Every structure is written in structure tokens, then in C-alpha cells.
Amino acid sequence: MSNMSNIPNVKLHPESWKQIKKGHPWIIKDQYTSSFSKSPFLRAIEKNQKVILLNDPSHPKIKARVWDNVELQASFDINTFRNQLYSRLEDSILNRKTLFESRDNMYLVFGEADFLPGLFIQKLGSVLLIQLYTEAYKDHFKILLKYFKEILIKNFPDTHWDGVFIQQRNHDKITEIKESPWGRYKLPNELTIKEFGVNYKLLVKNFYDQGIYTDMSAIRFKLSSDIKAAKSVLNLYCYTGAFSLYALSLGVEKVTSVDLSKKYLEWLEHNLGLNPELLTENHTSVAQDVPKYLQKTEEKFDFIICDPPSFSSNGKSSSSAFSQYEKLLPLCMSRLEVGGKIALFLNTHSITKNKFQKKIEDIIKNNKLKCHIIKHLGLEQDCPRRKGFPEGDYIKGFFIQKRA
Ligand SMILES: C[S@@+](CC[C@H](N)C(=O)[O-])C[C@H]1O[C@@H](n2cnc3c(N)ncnc32)[C@H](O)[C@@H]1O
């Protein structure tokens, strides 16, 4: 591909154009995409707008992603693409430079929001994890890796990197993982990383279940002053305990962690062991179904974190977190001290923030709960959101305070 004329022109559905104009970068499968060629880049023109697309013929749903909105007369060739790839990678990494000191656990590239559609890169300690949700980078992968390494070495000359994992997320079904060590280093299964001064064990090769939610890290930080002000913290659906250990590190005197999974609670205990300075006598683990725990306990707390999985099962029945809040929120409120705060989350892009807010307000009203929403919580810092792209806005949270 030497110039623009080698890139095939394609027609897009009017709905695709409508979405592109709003900022949405995906071309979803429709009658128009079935006539796309297999060329790595596509070009679409409507009136005075021209877009360059990364083609992804093998993807079952997202057939192409917008790479660039260009001037009608502008040329685009492989060098343009490579220059853009380099500068977008570098911008993404440099935008996060200030976070490097406080966290081993962060995103360096967050896909569509960094104008690198389908490409996510995490820094987990000295290990880097590249996740590809599209095959569109296949032909450019060597150069992508070369640029990425160059940028890191140029901007962080004193940092030691052990290696890169590359994970092709085959449309969320099968995932293969490859290693690209720097030097002779063999990537470990297990790794200890630091987030805000606290150590956590990660199983880096366990790609769906690595032991920490990197996208919640900025939210943990945002809540730090409220957590610190609490005497007691209840961490519901605690997983491996990131919020609990963070609360202990901030000096909270009583931290209770509840999760159905004994495996995750053992992992939490292991994490506690990695942090001998934390006062473990201030911590209690409870292996139980959250609603059952809330019904049974008589304790009250100053701060509750409630981060259920989108779909939860107690072994007998399963329900969505969205509908479960009808029961969960009144239960949480009954365990909260007056003046206390709850951070509650919903982990799905398919329910908008407004719909979730309306639900929470209805629950508050219908149950005559004495509380109000203080603020919204969502993806931020290293996990930015992109206007017009709801799929990338998948964490919705509300911060609620109880009144007398
Ligand atoms: C989304 S993760 C929570 C992540 C955590 N807030 C963090 O930032 O590390 C959900 C957790 O809920 C647990 N879980 C699922 N259903 C449950 C239930 N009914 N009761 C208690 N825990 C449950 C899972 O074992 C998992 O650890």
C-alpha cells in the first residue's frame, strides 16, 4: 500500500455514519459490511467527511474500526499509519507518566479512548500485557511492538522491564497468550505488584482472573479520603481484597471483607501476608453470600463498598446486579451508620448511567431510605472514556450518604 488510491472505498450504512459523527468508532456487521474486501484498510467518504477504517473481516460483530477522520484531500499511506501509531502510543503512555510512581498496576493504553481501537496495554509491575480485541493489528504487530519498546526505553530509561505478554482475545472466547521477553527473562506465573504502597499477588497468565481489577484502581484512589475518614469499612464482593487492604493501609480500624469464594478469600489472606506492616487483627474475612450476610449481621459500618459481578449466583438462583440492587441497597443502608457512605457499582455498558441513577433514586424513594447521591463514580485517569462510545463506559458507580 503506497498511497491512498490502493485503499478500497466502501459504503457505510447511514446508521454507521450517524454513529461515527457522534464519536463511535465501530462499524457493526450489517448488509453493507458483507461487501467489504479483505484489505487491511478501508476508506469511506460521505459529503465532506472521509474516514480510514481498520478492517477486521474475521470479527463476528465489529467489522471495522475508525482509525482516522481525515481531510477530503489528505493522503494516507502506510507511513501515515505508522507515524500515527507511534504518536498515539507515545501520547497514551506520556499522558499517564504522573501515575507511574504511585502504581505498578495501570493501563498504558485504553483502546478506543486513546484512539488505538481494540488495543489495550497494562503495566503490571515489570511485566507488560498487550491485549488485542481485533486482528486488525496482525500485519503491523512487529512494528507495534518495536515502537512500544522504543517509546518505553526512550521515556523510562531507568525502568527495568521483564517482558511483554501478548494476548489475542479471540472475540472473548479462546485466548492465546504469547511471551515476548526482553533479554533472556522467562515470564513468571506469579508476580507481586504494588498499588498505592500495598502489595498484591497477581497470576499474570490467568488472563481473566489476574487478581486485581486495574480499571478500579483510579476509583480506589478517588475514594481514599472518604475511606481514610471511616472507622469501619465493609467490602462486599471483595474478590482478592484490593479495597480492604487499601483501607487497612489508610489506617481504618475495622475492615470486613465478604465474598462467596473461599479461593478469593485465601488469595486475600495471602495478600495480607505480603504486607506485614498492615494490622491484620483489624481485618475479618467472611465467606458468604452477600445478601445473606447483610440480613444476618448486626454490625454497622461507616463506609460500604458494593461491587457485585454483573450476574451473580448464590448457588441456587442467579440475578443481574441491576435488579439485585432493589434488595441490596436497603440491606446495605440498614448496616450503615448515620452519616456513613456507600460506593456502589454496576459493571456493564448496556445500562446507561442515567438508567442506573433512576433505578437507585426509585429504590431510595420506594423504600423511604434516608440517603442521597453525592456523586457519580466511573472510569477515569488511566481508563478514560470516549464521547459517543457507550461500550467503553462500562463501570457505573454512585456514592451515597445516609442522613439522620
Ligand atoms: C467484580 S468482583 C469485585 C471486585 C472488587 N471490588 C475489586 O475491585 O477488587 C465480584 C466478586 O463477587 C464475588 N461474588 C459473586 N457472587 C457473590 C455472592 N452472591 N456473594 C458474595 N460474593 C459473590 C465473586 O467471587 C467476585 O470475587
Side-chain angles (χ1 to χ4, degrees), residues 80-296:
T80 323
F81 171 76
R82 287 183 177 171
N83 290 339
Q84 288 173 329
L85 179 64
Y86 190 96
S87 60
R88 291 182 194 185
L89 276 170
E90 189 164 43
D91 286 351
S92 304
I93 293 166
L94 293 183
N95 283 342
R96 292 155 168 92
K97 207 170 175 178
T98 53
L99 301 175
F100 268 62
E101 275 189 13
S102 54
R103 298 206 232 154
D104 269 357
N105 167 37
M106 62 189 279
Y107 277 91
L108 296 178
V109 175
F110 203 61
E112 280 64 3
D114 281 311
F115 301 96
L116 291 162
L119 174 67
F120 291 76
I121 307 182
Q122 268 168 280
K123 170 170 106 80
L124 301 167
S126 58
V127 164
L128 299 149
L129 172 65
I130 302 183
Q131 292 177 306
L132 296 153
Y133 286 79
T134 166
E135 290 191 8
Y137 297 97
K138 216 158 88 185
D139 294 344
H140 319 288
F141 197 70
K142 266 197 180 148
I143 201 98
L144 190 159
L145 206 56
K146 179 175 169 283
Y147 288 169
F148 181 52
K149 289 182 178 179
E150 261 174 44
I151 293 165
L152 288 176
I153 291 166
K154 181 174 123 194
N155 291 292
F156 303 96
D158 303 327
T159 307
H160 167 79
W161 305 101
D162 280 326
V164 188
F165 280 88
I166 300 134
Q167 186 192 0
Q168 181 71 50
R169 305 200 53 144
N170 286 336
H171 322 310
D172 278 343
K173 283 196 192 101
I174 315 148
T175 52
E176 54 178 89
I177 201 149
K178 288 186 195 133
E179 295 172 10
S180 169
W182 285 354
R184 288 168 184 276
Y185 191 79
K186 185 92 183 108
L187 292 168
N189 277 328
E190 197 175 313
L191 196 75
T192 302
I193 61 134
K194 227 184 231 318
E195 184 193 272
F196 311 128
V198 182
N199 293 317
Y200 298 93
K201 176 182 94 169
L202 292 200
L203 296 179
V204 265
K205 290 185 184 173
N206 254 10
F207 20 80
Y208 282 117
D209 190 15
Q210 285 167 339
I212 198 153
Y213 283 92
T214 303
D215 50 13
M216 290 296 281
S217 187
I219 296 175
R220 274 190 275 285
F221 185 69
K222 190 169 189 176
L223 292 173
S224 60
S225 55
D226 290 287
I227 295 177
K228 199 174 161 76
K231 283 202 167 66
S232 53
V233 166
L234 174 62
N235 185 8
L236 300 172
Y237 307 94
C238 66
Y239 188 48
T240 57
F243 272 104
S244 309
L245 272 79
Y246 189 42
L248 288 171
S249 78
L250 293 171
V252 178
E253 286 164 19
K254 187 177 93 172
V255 178
T256 304
S257 305
V258 185
D259 202 286
L260 201 53
S261 159
K262 290 204 172 78
K263 180 182 110 185
Y264 292 144
L265 291 174
E266 278 166 22
W267 198 333
L268 185 159
E269 298 293 333
H270 181 93
N271 283 340
L272 283 173
L274 296 175
N275 295 279
E277 74 292 353
L278 297 182
L279 298 174
T280 44
E281 62 271 27
N282 289 354
H283 181 263
T284 311
S285 288
V286 182
Q288 211 173 6
D289 173 45
V290 161
K292 276 199 196 119
Y293 167 80
L294 290 169
Q295 275 156 355
K296 217 185 77 199

